[in-house]
Amino acid sequence: MNFALYKELLAVKPVRRLLIVGMVSRIPHSAAYLLLTLHIVLSLDEGYAAAGAAAAVMTIGIALGAPWRGRRVDTVGLRKALMPSVTAEIVIWAIVPHVEYQWILPLVFVAGLLTFPIFTVMRQSMGALLEADQRRTGFALDSIGSELVFMIGPAVGAVVAAAGFSAAGLTAVGISASLAGLLLMWFNPPTRSTHAAEEGLRAAEPAFATSATGHYPEAAEHGSHSATYGPRGTSESSGFRSRIRRNFTWLSPQVGAIFAVAAGAGIIMSGTDVGIVALVERGGQQTDIGIVFAFWCGASLIGGLAYGAMHQSISPVLLLLAMAALTIPMACARDAWSLAFLSVPSGLLCAPVMTAASEKVAELVDENRRGEAMGWYGSALTAGVAVGAPLTGLFIDSMDPWSGFVAAGAIGVTVSLLGLALDRGRTTAPSKTLPS
């Protein structure tokens, strides 16, 4: 392991600033899911299945919107792509806490559809700023920043909801999310390597500029790997199916396997999330929810730090399989502290799974289509969340909180096996693989 890689990347001003803006932009929505769950359960007196359904509807909106938002970033630029979100966030989250449950569902769907594509933007910008051999460390730093945010956001949300201020908390989510969007628009991080090269050469500090890996990619670096858009001028290409084929030339069995990993990770993480809240809340320990999240996310932070310092990558499918299997023992917990300790093994693999998967997408897809690919990757992740939250809620409502962990882990194992099957069916054509 080489932890000096982190120092080298953090010495670059654009990378350091991107990580800070990414953390700030993620804070509002890190608390939103837990606030929404506890608002529905405690304030509206609905069950965890209903809360999970609301979370699912929101994540379906995110899943549908992410590819479109990613494509908009590719075509019109970041600032224009984010404009609708600035207004939508503040308006919708101001209304949600003051309406009945049946009105929450369409509102959170629209909120998800127009939410800031922060995941897509961060991974796309990292892919543009860094070379292939630096991306693992860069994505790991982004995952570490996310874990720090999720150690803070849910804990604050739990305290606010337990104190009876879930409505004020949800309103604050909208205000802070809009402000974060304005900050992201002001920063306007690069999403193409040509822009990244110009920015990086002006801003790079000497410590990184003199290192062996401290240089930015040139515009022509991946020229031989540009996407193929299919034949032109033929009558067949004018049809709908031909257009679909041209738009998805970047999609291969290997990329499909990574999308399966993202969906499985979403199922496990959302299922674990709902299971943690249910087990601790039903034990009358709502204020201890933050302790469990601190252990779980802290373990993920440590795992991401270690993985980012490694010289070799590990298959994201295998990492997901291990994470899924280690989630099941969390069913043995009986209180907040035992759950916190049992969350550590699976938590250690959360960030590595996401880092390895993002690195693989950036490796397999040309940067001309990377924003769209990252959007679909985010859609797969949020689709997994959409499945995991209500499914876990159904098990919890019909049985006990422990059953949610078993269900999430078992589904994760199944999805991992599907990913392995897709990965084995990959093509041998190297035309879309970047040098690593």
Side-chain angles (χ1 to χ4, degrees), residues 86-325:
V86 173
T87 303
E89 294 275 9
I90 195 168
V91 171
I92 292 173
W93 289 109
I95 298 173
V96 164
H98 304 291
V99 297
E100 297 297 324
Y101 176 76
Q102 62 267 27
W103 292 107
I104 288 179
L105 297 179
L107 284 169
V108 296
F109 174 78
V110 177
L113 195 67
L114 295 175
T115 196
F116 292 111
I118 184 62
F119 179 89
T120 300
V121 170
M122 287 295 296
R123 296 302 163 106
Q124 189 177 359
S125 297
M126 278 290 180
L129 282 166
L130 303 176
E131 289 190 356
D133 59 352
Q134 300 168 327
R135 287 176 186 146
R136 183 182 310 121
T137 305
F139 290 149
L141 277 172
D142 182 43
S143 295
I144 290 166
S146 297
E147 299 305 335
L148 288 173
V149 168
F150 277 90
M151 290 171 69
I152 298 169
V156 173
V159 171
V160 170
F165 298 110
S166 59
L170 289 168
T171 303
V173 163
I175 296 171
S176 53
S178 291
L179 293 175
L182 291 172
L183 176 63
L184 195 60
M185 292 172 66
W186 168 78
F187 174 40
N188 193 28
T191 57
R192 295 287 180 90
S193 62
T194 50
H195 186 183
E198 295 169 1
E199 291 294 318
L201 289 173
R202 287 196 297 266
E205 296 179 10
F208 189 75
T210 58
S211 68
T213 58
H215 50 93
Y216 284 93
E218 298 290 339
E221 179 188 5
H222 305 310
S224 62
H225 301 283
S226 58
T228 303
Y229 291 91
R232 293 179 295 175
T234 62
S235 58
E236 291 81 8
S237 64
S238 63
F240 176 75
R241 287 195 294 180
S242 296
R243 290 197 299 271
I244 293 294
R245 283 196 298 269
R246 289 200 304 273
N247 286 335
F248 288 91
T249 53
W250 51 267
L251 183 60
S252 66
Q254 256 189 312
V255 176
I258 303 306
F259 289 171
V261 168
I267 291 170
I268 294 170
M269 288 189 288
S270 65
T272 302
D273 199 336
V274 174
I276 288 172
V277 174
L279 193 148
V280 178
E281 187 271 328
R282 287 193 177 180
Q285 301 172 295
Q286 291 96 321
T287 55
D288 290 337
I289 290 175
I291 294 173
V292 184
F293 276 102
F295 272 74
W296 188 36
C297 296
S300 180
L301 187 154
I302 294 170
L305 189 66
Y307 185 78
M310 292 176 62
H311 293 289
Q312 292 184 338
S313 62
I314 301 174
S315 168
V317 181
L318 296 178
L319 289 171
L320 178 69
L321 181 61
M323 186 174 102

Side-chain angles (χ1 to χ4, degrees), residues 346-420:
S346 63
L348 285 169
L349 294 173
C350 286
V353 167
M354 304 309 297
T355 300
S358 297
E359 180 188 16
K360 202 69 175 176
V361 172
E363 175 190 330
L364 293 170
V365 181
D366 184 82
E367 70 173 351
N368 291 334
R369 311 303 296 273
R370 197 175 291 152
E372 184 180 359
M374 284 294 184
W376 282 105
Y377 172 75
S379 293
L381 176 64
T382 50
V385 174
V387 172
L391 185 62
T392 303
L394 284 173
F395 275 90
I396 290 169
D397 285 344
S398 60
M399 301 172 70
D400 278 314
W402 64 265
S403 62
F405 299 114
V406 175
I411 294 172
V413 169
T414 303
V415 173
S416 300
L417 297 177
L418 173 63
L420 285 173

